[in-house]
Amino acid sequence: MIEIRQVGHAFGERVVLRDLTLDLTERRIAVVGGNGSGKSTFARLLNGLLVPTRGEVRVDGLDTRRDGKAVRRKVGFVFQNPDNQIVLPVVAEDLAFGLKNLGLPKDEIARRTDEALRRYDLHALRDHPAHLLSGGQKQLLAIAGVLAMAPEVIVFDEPTTLLDLRNKRRVAEAIDGLPQRAVVVSHDLAFLEHFDRVLVFEDGRVAIDDRPSVALPAYVAMMS
Amino acid sequence: MTPYVPGDSPVHRCPPGRKILALVAAGTLLFAWPRLDLALAALAAAALLSRLAGIPVRLMLAQLRPLAWILAVLVLVQLALDGWQAGLLVAARLAALVLLAGLVTLTTRSADLIEALQGGLSWLRPLGVNPAKVGLAIALTLRFIPVLAAIAAEVREAQRARGLERSLVALTVPVVVRMLKMSDDIAAAIDARSYDPDRDSR
Ligand SMILES: Nc1ncnc2c1ncn2[C@@H]1O[C@H](COP(=O)(O)OP(=O)(O)OP(=O)(O)O)[C@@H](O)[C@H]1O
Ligand SMILES: [Mg+2]
């Protein structure tokens, strides 16, 4: 469970999040809101990539401020731009990067790498240079790399924004199929319809917090 | 950067550290004894080994393409100064080294190569050099050269559409801005995947 207590965040003078208190327990949580409303900042607080300037964020009781490393093992993160999160030159090597960082034994790394590549049909490409993959394949590789680390929750920051329609659908299906809990920032409202909970951000606050059938129409009305 | 060509030949299976050592030894030998027969033997060895590794001739020759001009100039200068044998020696020696180096990268996964280099650098640890960091830096460079090339091409295209392709500022500023944004993202991505430079895994 992720507990957010009286959290505020500012970059210098600029206040981006104001006094949030939330418990995130649902299996699928969506985060929507206009540009600059604080969604990415919120997402980064959840695994300690950012530490809040006020209040605290706890994951299974661990404080992101003090136990950042342990928190990042529990909470994986998938970014918007697939290019910027693939860090090693070859597909299988990149997939293994996080696993090596966890200090797993070699055979366990090989086993998990294999399994994750197969899951997303990337196995035939395992020795390919990563930059030759399509955008959708790169995003699937990024998801596979995080999934292989077996976190309890995965946070996605606009995972389908840069993809074409077909790849949007593939990545959305991949996220739907994840065994883990997920927090997904997205502008793709259709994809969020069957989520368990929607948080609508406006100007650094959660303006609406409800089921999709209530929150999504209210968000659309708010934006028009 | 030349991609890895998967395979199961003895050249592929040879430990990366040994391949690097052999390459260094060959280089030292060729320059310590500037003899045409040695240089030609090294060329022959490169040809033989690439054959053994199943690397297509086309790929091997591609290694020499960036060097074609340098080779031509070197040969001409040496020809003018010392006669054809010296020219041939210089060209054969350089070509042999480039081919052997290419053979190492073509038959070694970059992760293995980096790991071997890290091992080779570990004696620098007392001087404050962190081999794991050096290894990651090399890997990142290999990974992002094609990405940067793509960004540069994109920017050039966009500026050409606006008639700005001759302006150095119009070309470099957007590239640098995107690189800075990109390096922020990459750093976050590395962090998010539990990278810890101080943990000694190897
Ligand atoms: N590192 C930073 N330094 C200063 N200001 C920042 C930083 N990161 C974000 N901001 C500002 O904080 C505000 C909220 O940014 P955030 O990225 O969280 O918004 P967002 O809801 O994700 O927007 P988008 O839909 O455009 O992704 C923006 O006004 C942004 O300019
Ligand atoms: Mg954002």
Side-chain angles (χ1 to χ4, degrees):
Chain A
M1 160 152 111
I2 303 182
E3 300 161 89
I4 297 157
R5 292 286 172 272
Q6 280 121 35
V7 159
H9 195 79
F11 293 104
E13 298 279 277
R14 178 154 172 52
V15 178
V16 175
L17 291 176
R18 299 160 208 272
D19 196 34
L20 299 176
T21 295
L22 296 163
D23 285 340
L24 306 182
T25 51
E26 291 79 0
R27 220 173 81 81
R28 292 286 179 266
I29 299 178
V31 175
V32 300
N35 292 135
S37 57
K39 306 180 297 292
S40 295
T41 308
F42 175 73
R44 285 173 179 233
L45 289 175
L46 301 181
N47 75 338
L49 278 177
L50 268 182
V51 175
T53 47
R54 289 162 162 257
E56 58 182 35
V57 177
R58 291 178 167 279
V59 177
D60 292 343
L62 297 168
D63 188 332
T64 59
R65 191 172 280 121
R66 272 181 300 126
D67 310 309
K69 263 184 215 165
V71 166
R72 280 192 281 284
R73 288 183 175 222
K74 287 178 179 284
V75 185
F77 203 105
V78 175
F79 297 80
Q80 177 179 31
N81 188 335
D83 251 326
N84 298 354
Q85 56 190 321
I86 296 173
V87 295
L88 295 187
V90 174
V91 171
E93 290 172 4
D94 181 74
L95 209 142
F97 176 71
L99 299 173
K100 280 194 183 166
N101 293 340
L102 293 185
L104 297 174
K106 269 213 156 87
D107 50 339
E108 175 72 7
I109 293 179
R111 193 186 64 72
R112 289 207 205 176
T113 302
D114 233 47
E115 188 185 303
L117 287 173
R118 280 184 207 288
R119 184 179 182 118
Y120 295 121
D121 288 337
L122 294 169
H123 203 264
L125 301 170
R126 58 174 297 136
D127 289 321
H128 276 234
H131 73 96
L132 295 183
L133 299 183
S134 74
Q137 285 172 328
K138 283 182 191 164
Q139 199 59 303
L140 288 173
L141 173 60
I143 295 175
V146 171
L147 186 65
M149 296 173 75
E152 288 165 24
V153 186
I154 304 181
V155 179
F156 295 85
D157 191 359
E158 301 197 34
T160 62
T161 301
L162 297 177
L163 306 180
D164 66 24
L165 264 183
R166 180 181 308 135
N167 284 310
K168 265 192 213 307
R169 198 167 314 135
R170 276 189 75 186
V171 169
E173 277 166 12
I175 296 173
D176 276 339
L178 288 176
Q180 272 87 357
R181 287 189 286 139
V183 177
V184 183
V185 178
S186 179
H187 294 293
D188 181 2
L189 302 188
F191 167 42
L192 306 174
E193 270 166 11
H194 56 270
F195 273 46
D196 302 311
R197 180 178 178 189
V198 178
L199 307 175
V200 179
F201 274 72
E202 189 188 23
D203 193 23
R205 287 194 181 83
V206 175
I208 304 168
D209 177 358
D210 217 321
R211 285 173 291 131
S213 56
V214 180
L216 292 178
Y219 171 54
V220 172
M222 190 174 104
M223 292 300 277
S224 49
Chain B
M1 183 57 203
T2 45
Y4 169 69
V5 178
D8 195 31
S9 73
V11 186
H12 283 87
R13 287 193 314 253
C14 174
R18 220 169 282 172
K19 279 190 258 193
I20 296 173
L21 267 181
L23 184 61
V24 172
T28 316
L29 203 72
L30 286 174
F31 280 85
W33 282 288
R35 289 175 40 172
L36 187 56
D37 50 353
L38 268 184
L40 290 177
L43 262 183
L48 248 157
L49 288 170
S50 61
R51 192 63 207 252
L52 184 62
I55 308 286
V57 178
R58 182 179 45 78
L59 254 181
M60 289 307 285
L61 289 181
Q63 311 283 318
L64 291 176
R65 197 170 306 132
L67 252 99
W69 281 108
I70 302 176
L71 279 174
V73 171
L74 271 177
V75 170
L76 285 177
V77 170
Q78 292 286 344
L79 265 178
L81 293 177
D82 298 324
W84 66 271
Q85 282 195 329
L88 194 59
L89 166 62
V90 169
R93 196 167 59 179
L94 191 59
L97 266 186
V98 169
L99 287 178
L100 287 172
L103 192 61
V104 172
T105 50
L106 283 166
T107 58
T108 318
R109 281 174 218 276
S110 43
D112 297 342
L113 202 59
I114 287 158
E115 209 163 295
L117 282 173
Q118 276 175 19
L121 289 173
S122 56
W123 60 277
L124 288 172
R125 209 185 299 268
L127 300 177
V129 175
N130 180 337
K133 275 190 194 165
V134 177
L136 183 65
I138 298 171
L140 283 172
T141 312
L142 293 181
R143 160 76 186 104
F144 284 99
I145 286 172
V147 179
L148 283 180
I151 290 179
E154 222 172 85
V155 168
R156 207 177 311 126
E157 195 113 295
Q159 302 301 39
R160 186 176 303 142
R162 300 164 54 201
L164 289 174
E165 74 267 29
R166 295 195 157 272
S167 154
L168 198 58
V169 174
L171 290 178
T172 45
V173 170
V175 173
V176 170
V177 167
R178 281 182 59 177
M179 273 173 62
L180 289 177
K181 163 82 180 109
M182 196 170 111
S183 58
D184 271 356
D185 284 2
I186 296 163
I190 289 174
D191 237 2
R193 283 165 80 188
S194 291
Y195 179 69
D196 179 357
D198 301 320
R199 192 180 58 87
D200 238 3
S201 59
R202 291 165 248 261

